[in-house]
Amino acid sequence: MGMHIPDGYLSPQTCAVGYVIAVPAWAVAVRRVQRVVRNRHVPTLAVLAAVSFLVMMFNIPIPDGTTAHAIGATIIAILLGPWAAVLAVSVALGFQALLFGDGGVLAFGFNCANMAVLAPFVGYGVYKLIAGRSELTAPRRALAAAVGGYAGINAAAFAAAIEFGLQPDLFHNSAGAPLYAPYHLSQTIPAMMLAHLTIAGIAEGILTGGVVAYLQRANLPLLRVNHGGIASDGEKARAPRRFRPLHVALGAVAVMAVLTPLGLLAPGGAFGEDAPEDLDLHKYGLSAVPSGLNKYNGFWHHALFNGYDFTSDAHPTVGYIVSAVVGIAIVGAAIFLITMAVRWVAGRRGASQRQETAQQS
């Protein structure tokens, strides 16, 4: 089960609540990310945003015939802070919705609230709790990262299950038929949590813990960015020779882009992401597609690579790879431009404050 909620599954009122949550988070994230900009880790943030975009393209088969995917939010939070993760994952989700039709535009607020806000903060909190004051090279850090990633994605999945499952009770017609998502909590929670507690959560944990374990050996300074920037004597003594992290990261992104068509091998689709015409009406006791779902599902018609394809399914593998390359370029460029704009604004404010101080003295 994916967590990219399409338009029509949540009522407009619910979607508005999602934006009420997400917009303040974006505003704070833009201010907080200035520290990352000042530390000149803009390329790292751009690469991590591209990684988040790519891992969400990999559909993992679930035993019940649906699919799920990782997010990559917690590893960004661990390396550059949770507010950087809010910005990076939100940008990735935004272009997935606008260009690739993956997730709704109306539902974008809640998609970000779940995957770009809740997931990184829960994951980072669990990581900090387990890691404690252990040295950055301690195996406990990699374990903490894995558990944090697992916890973060499951928190986001649980939130999405609640959002889906409340719709039939809150929004229905006079006959009691649901207007939007037809799934009740008794259906959404088991379906979502089965997928994420067993498969997607493990994938997220392996990704997060694996990256931290790699950086402990290959690039300890990057791990220090969000951990005070100071190594203990023991860490300095054991610090290995550092590889070129950006080159390694770009190589990993390139490999992932080539491998994205593997997601096409997963049978079925993600629960809660069906087009209205693909709903099993009998399974949910419906005689017709819910009217609100049918009305708003096609709200956004301008996705250039709808479903990560532009070949009308004639060459889906090529479509997936081209979509991955285009997505990497756009997401990375967007993060770069946003952070450069933040740097420019911060520089202007700093210059203005210095000028005022000089005039007062």
Side-chain angles (χ1 to χ4, degrees):
M1 176 186 297
M3 282 180 289
H4 289 71
I5 302 173
D7 285 333
Y9 278 84
L10 302 182
S11 71
Q13 299 93 317
T14 306
C15 292
V17 173
Y19 279 99
V20 169
I21 297 171
V23 169
W26 296 331
V28 175
V30 169
R31 292 198 301 269
R32 293 293 188 93
V33 83
Q34 291 182 22
R35 184 181 67 85
V36 177
V37 175
R38 286 200 300 269
N39 285 341
R40 298 182 181 179
H41 286 285
V42 176
T44 303
L45 182 59
V47 169
L48 290 173
V51 168
S52 176
F53 171 84
L54 285 172
V55 299
M56 287 190 281
M57 288 183 66
F58 281 91
N59 296 313
I60 307 169
I62 305 299
D64 66 354
T66 61
T67 62
H69 58 75
I71 303 174
T74 300
I75 187 58
I76 303 175
I78 291 172
L79 296 182
L80 298 178
W83 291 110
V86 170
L87 186 62
V89 179
S90 293
V91 169
L93 289 170
F95 283 107
Q96 282 181 319
L98 293 172
L99 292 182
F100 304 99
D102 194 3
V105 173
L106 294 176
F108 177 62
F110 256 126
N111 283 331
C112 288
N114 297 338
M115 289 184 276
V117 179
L118 185 61
F121 274 96
V122 170
Y124 185 66
V126 171
Y127 163 75
K128 293 287 286 183
L129 181 65
I130 296 176
R133 300 180 63 83
S134 61
E135 294 184 347
L136 291 184
T137 53
R140 181 175 172 182
R141 289 275 175 178
L143 175 63
V147 177
Y150 182 86
I153 193 173
N154 275 287
F158 185 73
I162 297 296
E163 293 146 19
F164 273 127
L166 289 177
Q167 298 303 301
D169 294 323
L170 295 178
F171 306 99
H172 51 78
N173 62 21
S174 57
L179 296 176
Y180 304 100
Y183 322 115
H184 292 272
L185 289 171
S186 60
Q187 297 167 315
T188 61
I189 293 177
M192 274 298 233
M193 300 323 294
L194 171 66
H196 290 85
L197 288 170
T198 58
I199 305 295
I202 294 174
E204 185 84 6
I206 292 173
L207 169 69
T208 310
V211 170
V212 169
Y214 168 77
L215 293 176
Q216 285 178 321
R217 294 177 174 274
N219 187 27
L220 199 55
L222 181 55
L223 271 182
R224 295 193 196 107
V225 171
N226 192 43
H227 295 81
I230 300 175
S232 69
D233 292 338
E235 288 168 353
K236 291 177 181 178
R238 293 192 300 274
R241 182 179 179 180
R242 185 163 70 99
F243 302 133
R244 294 182 180 270
L246 190 57
H247 292 177
V248 173
L250 290 174
V253 167
V255 170
M256 290 175 65
V258 172
L259 294 179
T260 50
L262 291 176
L264 296 172
L265 300 177
F271 173 88
E273 295 186 12
D274 294 312
E277 61 271 17
D278 296 330
L279 274 177
D280 185 346
L281 299 179
H282 177 74
K283 180 179 180 180
Y284 301 107
L286 301 174
S287 59
V289 174
S291 59
L293 171 57
N294 199 44
K295 177 180 180 180
Y296 291 107
N297 190 256
F299 175 80
W300 181 254
H301 301 281
H302 308 290
L304 297 179
F305 299 86
N306 193 45
Y308 300 105
D309 190 31
F310 61 95
T311 66
S312 300
D313 289 330
H315 303 285
T317 299
V318 173
Y320 236 61
I321 293 176
V322 171
S323 296
V325 172
V326 171
I328 290 169
I330 292 177
V331 170
I335 286 291
F336 182 84
L337 292 175
I338 290 171
T339 48
M340 288 298 99
V342 171
R343 170 183 284 181
W344 181 80
V345 171
R348 289 290 298 270
R349 287 178 178 174
S352 177
Q353 290 174 354
R354 288 192 297 270
Q355 185 177 5
E356 290 177 1
T357 301
Q359 290 175 348
Q360 291 174 358
S361 59

Coordinates of all heavy atoms in Angstrom, one line a residue, residues 144-230:
A144 N 20.0 2.3 15.8 CA 19.0 3.4 16.1 C 18.4 4.0 14.8 O 17.2 4.3 14.8 CB 19.7 4.5 16.9
A145 N 19.3 4.2 13.8 CA 18.8 4.7 12.5 C 17.8 3.7 11.9 O 16.7 4.2 11.4 CB 20.0 5.0 11.6
A146 N 18.1 2.4 11.9 CA 17.2 1.5 11.3 C 15.8 1.4 12.0 O 14.8 1.4 11.4 CB 17.8 0.1 11.3
V147 N 15.9 1.4 13.3 CA 14.6 1.4 14.1 C 13.9 2.7 13.9 O 12.6 2.7 13.8 CB 14.9 1.2 15.6 CG1 13.6 1.3 16.4 CG2 15.6 -0.2 15.8
G148 N 14.6 3.9 13.8 CA 14.0 5.1 13.6 C 13.3 5.2 12.2 O 12.1 5.7 12.1
G149 N 13.9 4.7 11.2 CA 13.3 4.6 9.9 C 12.1 3.8 9.9 O 11.0 4.1 9.3
Y150 N 12.1 2.6 10.6 CA 11.0 1.7 10.7 C 9.8 2.4 11.4 O 8.7 2.3 10.9 CB 11.4 0.5 11.4 CG 10.3 -0.6 11.6 CD1 10.1 -1.5 10.6 CD2 9.5 -0.6 12.7 CE1 9.2 -2.5 10.7 CE2 8.6 -1.6 12.9 CZ 8.4 -2.5 11.9 OH 7.4 -3.5 12.0
A151 N 10.1 3.1 12.5 CA 9.1 3.8 13.2 C 8.5 5.0 12.5 O 7.3 5.2 12.5 CB 9.6 4.3 14.6
G152 N 9.3 5.7 11.8 CA 8.8 6.9 11.0 C 7.8 6.5 9.9 O 6.8 7.1 9.8
I153 N 8.2 5.5 9.1 CA 7.3 5.2 8.0 C 6.0 4.6 8.5 O 4.9 4.8 8.0 CB 8.0 4.3 7.0 CG1 7.2 4.2 5.7 CG2 8.2 2.9 7.6 CD1 7.9 3.4 4.6
N154 N 6.1 3.8 9.6 CA 4.8 3.2 10.2 C 4.0 4.3 10.8 O 2.7 4.2 10.8 CB 5.2 2.1 11.2 CG 5.5 0.8 10.5 OD1 4.5 0.2 10.0 ND2 6.7 0.4 10.4
A155 N 4.5 5.3 11.4 CA 3.7 6.4 11.9 C 3.0 7.1 10.8 O 1.8 7.5 10.9 CB 4.6 7.4 12.7
A156 N 3.7 7.3 9.7 CA 3.0 8.0 8.5 C 1.9 7.1 7.9 O 0.8 7.6 7.6 CB 4.1 8.3 7.4
A157 N 2.2 5.8 7.9 CA 1.2 4.8 7.4 C -0.1 4.8 8.3 O -1.2 4.8 7.8 CB 1.8 3.4 7.3
F158 N 0.2 4.9 9.6 CA -1.0 4.8 10.5 C -1.8 6.1 10.4 O -3.0 6.1 10.4 CB -0.5 4.7 11.9 CG -1.6 4.6 13.0 CD1 -2.3 3.4 13.1 CD2 -1.9 5.6 13.8 CE1 -3.3 3.3 14.0 CE2 -2.9 5.5 14.7 CZ -3.6 4.3 14.8
A159 N -1.1 7.3 10.2 CA -1.9 8.5 10.0 C -2.7 8.5 8.7 O -3.9 8.9 8.7 CB -0.9 9.7 9.9
A160 N -2.1 7.9 7.6 CA -2.9 7.8 6.4 C -4.1 6.9 6.5 O -5.2 7.2 6.0 CB -2.0 7.3 5.3
A161 N -3.9 5.8 7.3 CA -5.0 4.9 7.5 C -6.2 5.6 8.3 O -7.3 5.4 7.9 CB -4.5 3.7 8.3
I162 N -5.8 6.4 9.2 CA -6.8 7.2 10.0 C -7.6 8.1 9.0 O -8.8 8.3 9.1 CB -6.2 7.9 11.2 CG1 -5.6 6.9 12.2 CG2 -7.3 8.8 11.8 CD1 -6.6 6.0 12.8
E163 N -6.8 8.8 8.2 CA -7.4 9.8 7.3 C -8.3 9.1 6.3 O -9.4 9.7 6.0 CB -6.3 10.6 6.6 CG -5.5 11.5 7.5 CD -4.0 11.6 7.1 OE1 -3.7 11.3 5.9 OE2 -3.2 11.9 8.0
F164 N -7.9 8.0 5.8 CA -8.8 7.2 4.9 C -10.0 6.8 5.6 O -11.2 6.9 5.2 CB -8.1 6.0 4.3 CG -7.3 6.2 3.1 CD1 -5.9 5.9 3.0 CD2 -7.9 6.8 2.0 CE1 -5.2 6.1 1.9 CE2 -7.1 7.0 0.8 CZ -5.8 6.6 0.8
G165 N -9.8 6.1 6.8 CA -10.9 5.4 7.5 C -11.9 6.3 8.1 O -13.1 5.8 8.4
L166 N -11.6 7.6 8.3 CA -12.6 8.5 8.9 C -13.6 9.0 7.8 O -14.7 9.5 8.2 CB -12.0 9.6 9.6 CG -11.2 9.3 10.9 CD1 -10.6 10.6 11.4 CD2 -12.2 8.8 11.9
Q167 N -13.2 8.9 6.6 CA -14.1 9.5 5.5 C -15.5 9.0 5.5 O -16.5 9.8 5.4 CB -13.4 9.4 4.2 CG -12.0 10.1 4.0 CD -12.1 11.6 4.3 OE1 -12.8 12.3 3.7 NE2 -11.4 12.0 5.4
P168 N -15.7 7.7 5.5 CA -17.1 7.2 5.4 C -18.0 7.6 6.5 O -19.2 7.8 6.4 CB -17.0 5.7 5.3 CG -15.6 5.4 4.9 CD -14.8 6.5 5.5
D169 N -17.4 7.8 7.7 CA -18.2 8.2 8.9 C -18.5 9.7 8.9 O -19.5 10.1 9.4 CB -17.4 7.8 10.2 CG -17.3 6.3 10.3 OD1 -18.3 5.6 10.0 OD2 -16.3 5.8 10.8
L170 N -17.5 10.5 8.4 CA -17.7 11.9 8.4 C -18.4 12.5 7.2 O -19.1 13.5 7.3 CB -16.3 12.6 8.5 CG -15.5 12.3 9.8 CD1 -14.2 13.0 9.7 CD2 -16.3 12.8 11.0
F171 N -18.3 11.8 6.0 CA -18.8 12.4 4.8 C -19.6 11.3 4.1 O -19.0 10.4 3.4 CB -17.7 12.9 3.9 CG -16.9 13.9 4.7 CD1 -15.6 13.6 5.2 CD2 -17.3 15.2 4.8 CE1 -14.9 14.5 5.9 CE2 -16.5 16.2 5.5 CZ -15.3 15.8 6.0
H172 N -20.9 11.3 4.1 CA -21.8 10.4 3.5 C -23.1 11.0 3.1 O -23.4 12.1 3.6 CB -22.0 9.1 4.4 CG -22.5 9.5 5.7 ND1 -23.8 9.9 6.0 CD2 -21.8 9.6 6.9 CE1 -23.9 10.2 7.3 NE2 -22.7 10.0 7.9
N173 N -23.8 10.4 2.2 CA -25.1 11.0 1.8 C -26.2 10.5 2.8 O -26.0 9.8 3.8 CB -25.5 10.6 0.4 CG -25.6 9.1 0.2 OD1 -25.8 8.4 1.1 ND2 -25.5 8.7 -1.1
S174 N -27.5 11.0 2.5 CA -28.6 10.7 3.4 C -28.8 9.2 3.5 O -29.4 8.7 4.5 CB -29.8 11.4 2.9 OG -30.1 11.0 1.6
A175 N -28.4 8.4 2.5 CA -28.6 7.0 2.6 C -27.5 6.2 3.3 O -27.5 5.0 3.5 CB -28.8 6.4 1.2
G176 N -26.4 7.0 3.7 CA -25.3 6.4 4.4 C -24.2 6.0 3.5 O -23.2 5.5 4.0
A177 N -24.3 6.2 2.2 CA -23.3 5.8 1.2 C -22.1 6.8 1.3 O -22.3 8.0 1.4 CB -23.8 5.8 -0.2
P178 N -20.9 6.3 1.3 CA -19.7 7.3 1.4 C -19.6 8.2 0.2 O -19.9 7.7 -0.9 CB -18.5 6.3 1.5 CG -19.0 5.0 0.9 CD -20.5 4.9 1.2
L179 N -19.2 9.4 0.4 CA -19.0 10.3 -0.7 C -17.5 10.3 -1.2 O -17.3 10.7 -2.3 CB -19.3 11.7 -0.2 CG -20.7 12.0 0.2 CD1 -20.9 13.4 0.8 CD2 -21.7 11.8 -0.9
Y180 N -16.6 9.8 -0.4 CA -15.2 9.8 -0.8 C -14.6 8.4 -0.6 O -15.1 7.5 -1.2 CB -14.4 10.9 0.0 CG -15.1 12.3 -0.2 CD1 -15.9 12.8 0.8 CD2 -14.9 13.0 -1.4 CE1 -16.6 14.1 0.6 CE2 -15.5 14.2 -1.6 CZ -16.4 14.8 -0.6 OH -17.0 16.0 -0.8
A181 N -13.5 8.3 0.2 CA -13.0 7.0 0.4 C -14.0 6.0 1.0 O -14.7 6.4 2.0 CB -11.8 7.0 1.3
P182 N -14.2 4.8 0.4 CA -15.2 3.9 1.0 C -14.7 3.0 2.1 O -15.5 2.1 2.5 CB -15.6 3.1 -0.3 CG -14.3 3.0 -1.1 CD -13.6 4.3 -0.8
Y183 N -13.5 3.2 2.5 CA -12.9 2.2 3.5 C -13.1 2.7 4.9 O -12.9 3.9 5.2 CB -11.4 2.1 3.2 CG -10.9 2.1 1.8 CD1 -10.1 3.2 1.3 CD2 -11.3 1.1 0.9 CE1 -9.7 3.2 0.0 CE2 -10.9 1.1 -0.4 CZ -10.1 2.1 -0.9 OH -9.8 2.2 -2.2
H184 N -13.5 1.8 5.8 CA -13.7 2.1 7.2 C -12.4 1.8 7.9 O -11.5 1.1 7.4 CB -14.8 1.3 7.8 CG -16.2 1.7 7.2 ND1 -16.9 2.8 7.8 CD2 -16.9 1.3 6.1 CE1 -18.0 2.9 7.1 NE2 -18.0 2.0 6.1
L185 N -12.3 2.4 9.1 CA -11.1 2.1 9.9 C -10.8 0.7 10.1 O -9.6 0.3 10.2 CB -11.2 2.8 11.3 CG -11.2 4.3 11.3 CD1 -11.6 4.9 12.7 CD2 -9.8 4.8 10.9
S186 N -11.8 -0.2 10.2 CA -11.6 -1.6 10.4 C -10.9 -2.2 9.2 O -10.4 -3.3 9.2 CB -12.9 -2.3 10.6 OG -13.8 -2.1 9.5
Q187 N -11.0 -1.5 8.0 CA -10.3 -2.0 6.8 C -9.0 -1.3 6.6 O -8.0 -1.9 6.2 CB -11.2 -1.7 5.6 CG -12.5 -2.5 5.7 CD -13.5 -2.0 4.6 OE1 -13.7 -0.8 4.5 NE2 -14.2 -2.9 3.9
T188 N -8.9 0.0 6.8 CA -7.7 0.8 6.5 C -6.5 0.5 7.4 O -5.4 0.3 7.0 CB -8.0 2.3 6.5 OG1 -8.4 2.7 7.8 CG2 -9.0 2.7 5.5
I189 N -6.8 0.4 8.7 CA -5.7 0.2 9.7 C -5.0 -1.2 9.4 O -3.8 -1.3 9.3 CB -6.2 0.4 11.1 CG1 -6.6 1.8 11.3 CG2 -5.1 -0.1 12.1 CD1 -7.1 2.1 12.7
P190 N -5.8 -2.3 9.4 CA -5.1 -3.6 9.1 C -4.4 -3.6 7.8 O -3.3 -4.1 7.7 CB -6.3 -4.6 9.1 CG -7.4 -4.0 9.9 CD -7.3 -2.5 9.6
A191 N -5.0 -3.0 6.7 CA -4.4 -3.1 5.4 C -3.1 -2.3 5.4 O -2.0 -2.7 4.9 CB -5.3 -2.5 4.3
M192 N -3.1 -1.0 5.9 CA -2.0 -0.2 6.0 C -0.9 -0.7 6.8 O 0.3 -0.8 6.5 CB -2.4 1.2 6.5 CG -2.9 2.2 5.4 SD -1.6 2.5 4.1 CE -1.6 4.2 4.1
M193 N -1.2 -1.2 8.0 CA -0.2 -1.6 9.0 C 0.4 -3.0 8.6 O 1.6 -3.2 8.8 CB -0.7 -1.6 10.4 CG -1.3 -0.2 10.9 SD -0.3 1.2 10.3 CE 1.3 0.9 11.2
L194 N -0.4 -3.8 8.0 CA 0.2 -5.1 7.5 C 1.3 -4.8 6.5 O 2.4 -5.4 6.5 CB -0.9 -5.9 6.9 CG -0.4 -7.2 6.1 CD1 0.2 -8.2 7.1 CD2 -1.5 -7.9 5.3
A195 N 1.0 -3.9 5.5 CA 2.0 -3.6 4.5 C 3.2 -2.9 5.0 O 4.3 -3.2 4.6 CB 1.3 -2.6 3.5
H196 N 3.1 -2.1 6.0 CA 4.2 -1.3 6.5 C 5.0 -1.9 7.7 O 6.2 -1.8 7.8 CB 3.8 0.1 6.8 CG 3.5 0.9 5.6 ND1 2.2 0.8 5.0 CD2 4.2 1.7 4.8 CE1 2.2 1.6 3.9 NE2 3.4 2.1 3.7
L197 N 4.3 -2.6 8.5 CA 5.0 -3.3 9.6 C 5.8 -4.5 9.1 O 6.8 -4.8 9.7 CB 3.9 -3.8 10.7 CG 3.3 -2.7 11.5 CD1 2.1 -3.3 12.3 CD2 4.3 -2.1 12.5
T198 N 5.4 -5.1 8.0 CA 6.0 -6.3 7.6 C 7.0 -6.1 6.4 O 8.1 -6.7 6.4 CB 5.0 -7.3 7.1 OG1 4.2 -6.8 6.0 CG2 4.1 -7.8 8.2
I199 N 6.7 -5.2 5.5 CA 7.5 -5.0 4.3 C 8.1 -3.7 4.1 O 9.4 -3.5 4.2 CB 6.7 -5.4 3.0 CG1 6.1 -6.8 3.1 CG2 7.6 -5.3 1.8 CD1 7.0 -7.9 3.2
A200 N 7.3 -2.6 4.0 CA 7.8 -1.3 3.7 C 8.6 -0.8 4.9 O 9.7 -0.1 4.7 CB 6.7 -0.3 3.4
G201 N 8.2 -1.1 6.1 CA 9.0 -0.6 7.3 C 10.4 -1.2 7.3 O 11.4 -0.6 7.7
I202 N 10.4 -2.5 7.0 CA 11.7 -3.2 7.0 C 12.6 -2.6 5.9 O 13.8 -2.3 6.1 CB 11.6 -4.7 6.7 CG1 10.8 -5.3 7.9 CG2 12.9 -5.4 6.5 CD1 10.5 -6.8 7.8
A203 N 12.1 -2.3 4.7 CA 12.8 -1.7 3.6 C 13.4 -0.3 4.1 O 14.5 0.0 3.8 CB 12.0 -1.5 2.4
E204 N 12.5 0.5 4.7 CA 12.9 1.8 5.2 C 14.0 1.7 6.3 O 15.0 2.5 6.3 CB 11.7 2.6 5.8 CG 12.0 4.0 6.2 CD 11.9 5.0 5.1 OE1 11.5 4.6 3.9 OE2 12.3 6.2 5.3
G205 N 13.9 0.7 7.1 CA 14.9 0.5 8.2 C 16.2 0.1 7.6 O 17.3 0.6 8.0
I206 N 16.2 -0.8 6.6 CA 17.5 -1.3 6.0 C 18.1 -0.1 5.3 O 19.3 0.1 5.4 CB 17.2 -2.4 5.0 CG1 16.8 -3.7 5.8 CG2 18.4 -2.7 4.1 CD1 16.3 -4.8 4.9
L207 N 17.3 0.7 4.6 CA 17.9 1.9 3.9 C 18.5 2.8 4.9 O 19.7 3.3 4.7 CB 16.7 2.6 3.1 CG 17.1 4.0 2.5 CD1 18.1 3.9 1.4 CD2 15.8 4.7 2.1
T208 N 17.8 3.2 5.9 CA 18.3 4.2 6.9 C 19.5 3.7 7.6 O 20.5 4.4 7.8 CB 17.2 4.6 7.9 OG1 16.0 4.9 7.1 CG2 17.5 5.8 8.7
G209 N 19.4 2.5 8.2 CA 20.5 1.9 8.9 C 21.7 1.6 8.1 O 22.9 1.8 8.5
G210 N 21.4 1.2 6.8 CA 22.6 0.9 5.9 C 23.3 2.2 5.5 O 24.6 2.1 5.5
V211 N 22.6 3.3 5.3 CA 23.3 4.5 4.9 C 24.2 5.0 6.1 O 25.3 5.4 5.9 CB 22.3 5.6 4.5 CG1 23.0 7.0 4.4 CG2 21.7 5.2 3.2
V212 N 23.6 4.9 7.3 CA 24.4 5.4 8.5 C 25.6 4.5 8.7 O 26.7 5.0 9.0 CB 23.5 5.4 9.8 CG1 24.4 5.6 11.0 CG2 22.5 6.5 9.7
A213 N 25.4 3.2 8.6 CA 26.6 2.2 8.7 C 27.7 2.5 7.7 O 28.9 2.5 8.0 CB 26.1 0.8 8.6
Y214 N 27.3 2.8 6.4 CA 28.2 3.2 5.4 C 29.0 4.4 5.7 O 30.2 4.5 5.6 CB 27.5 3.3 4.1 CG 28.4 3.9 3.0 CD1 29.4 3.2 2.4 CD2 28.2 5.3 2.6 CE1 30.2 3.7 1.4 CE2 29.1 5.8 1.7 CZ 30.0 5.1 1.1 OH 30.9 5.6 0.1
L215 N 28.2 5.5 6.2 CA 28.9 6.7 6.5 C 29.8 6.6 7.7 O 30.8 7.4 7.8 CB 27.8 7.8 6.7 CG 27.0 8.2 5.5 CD1 25.9 9.2 5.9 CD2 27.9 8.8 4.4
Q216 N 29.5 5.8 8.6 CA 30.4 5.6 9.7 C 31.8 5.1 9.3 O 32.8 5.4 9.9 CB 29.8 4.5 10.7 CG 28.7 5.0 11.5 CD 28.1 3.9 12.4 OE1 28.0 2.8 12.0 NE2 27.8 4.3 13.6
R217 N 31.8 4.4 8.2 CA 33.1 3.9 7.6 C 33.7 4.9 6.6 O 34.9 5.0 6.4 CB 32.9 2.5 7.0 CG 32.6 1.5 8.0 CD 32.4 0.1 7.3 NE 32.2 -0.9 8.3 CZ 33.1 -1.6 8.8 NH1 34.4 -1.4 8.5 NH2 32.9 -2.6 9.7
A218 N 32.8 5.5 5.8 CA 33.3 6.2 4.6 C 33.3 7.7 4.7 O 34.1 8.4 4.1 CB 32.4 5.8 3.4
N219 N 32.4 8.3 5.5 CA 32.3 9.8 5.6 C 31.8 10.2 6.9 O 30.6 10.7 7.0 CB 31.4 10.3 4.4 CG 31.4 11.8 4.3 OD1 32.4 12.4 4.7 ND2 30.4 12.3 3.8
L220 N 32.6 10.1 7.9 CA 32.1 10.5 9.3 C 31.8 12.0 9.4 O 30.9 12.3 10.1 CB 33.2 10.1 10.3 CG 32.7 10.0 11.8 CD1 31.5 9.0 11.9 CD2 33.8 9.5 12.7
P221 N 32.5 12.8 8.7 CA 32.1 14.3 8.8 C 30.7 14.6 8.4 O 30.1 15.5 8.9 CB 33.1 14.9 7.8 CG 34.3 14.0 7.9 CD 33.8 12.7 8.0
L222 N 30.1 13.8 7.4 CA 28.8 14.1 7.0 C 27.8 13.7 8.2 O 26.8 14.4 8.4 CB 28.4 13.3 5.8 CG 27.0 13.5 5.3 CD1 26.6 14.9 5.0 CD2 26.8 12.7 4.0
L223 N 28.2 12.6 8.9 CA 27.4 12.3 10.1 C 27.4 13.3 11.2 O 26.5 13.5 11.9 CB 27.8 10.9 10.6 CG 27.2 9.6 10.1 CD1 27.8 8.4 10.8 CD2 25.7 9.7 10.2
R224 N 28.5 14.1 11.2 CA 28.7 15.1 12.3 C 27.9 16.3 12.0 O 27.7 17.1 12.9 CB 30.2 15.5 12.4 CG 31.0 14.3 12.9 CD 32.4 14.9 13.4 NE 33.4 13.8 13.5 CZ 34.4 13.6 12.6 NH1 34.5 14.5 11.6 NH2 35.2 12.6 12.8
V225 N 27.4 16.5 10.8 CA 26.8 17.8 10.4 C 25.6 18.1 11.4 O 25.5 19.2 11.8 CB 26.3 17.7 9.0 CG1 25.4 18.9 8.6 CG2 27.4 17.7 8.0
N226 N 24.8 17.1 11.7 CA 23.6 17.3 12.5 C 23.9 16.8 13.9 O 22.9 16.6 14.7 CB 22.4 16.6 11.9 CG 21.1 17.0 12.5 OD1 20.9 18.2 12.8 ND2 20.3 16.0 12.8
H227 N 25.1 16.6 14.3 CA 25.4 16.1 15.6 C 26.5 16.9 16.3 O 27.4 16.4 17.0 CB 25.9 14.6 15.5 CG 24.9 13.7 15.1 ND1 24.6 13.5 13.7 CD2 24.1 12.8 15.7 CE1 23.6 12.6 13.6 NE2 23.3 12.2 14.8
G228 N 26.4 18.2 16.1 CA 27.3 19.1 16.8 C 28.6 19.4 16.1 O 29.3 20.4 16.4
G229 N 28.9 18.6 15.1 CA 30.1 18.8 14.2 C 31.4 18.6 14.9 O 32.5 18.8 14.4
I230 N 31.4 18.0 16.1 CA 32.6 17.7 16.9 C 32.7 16.2 17.1 O 31.8 15.6 17.7 CB 32.6 18.5 18.2 CG1 32.5 20.0 17.9 CG2 33.9 18.2 19.0 CD1 32.4 20.8 19.2

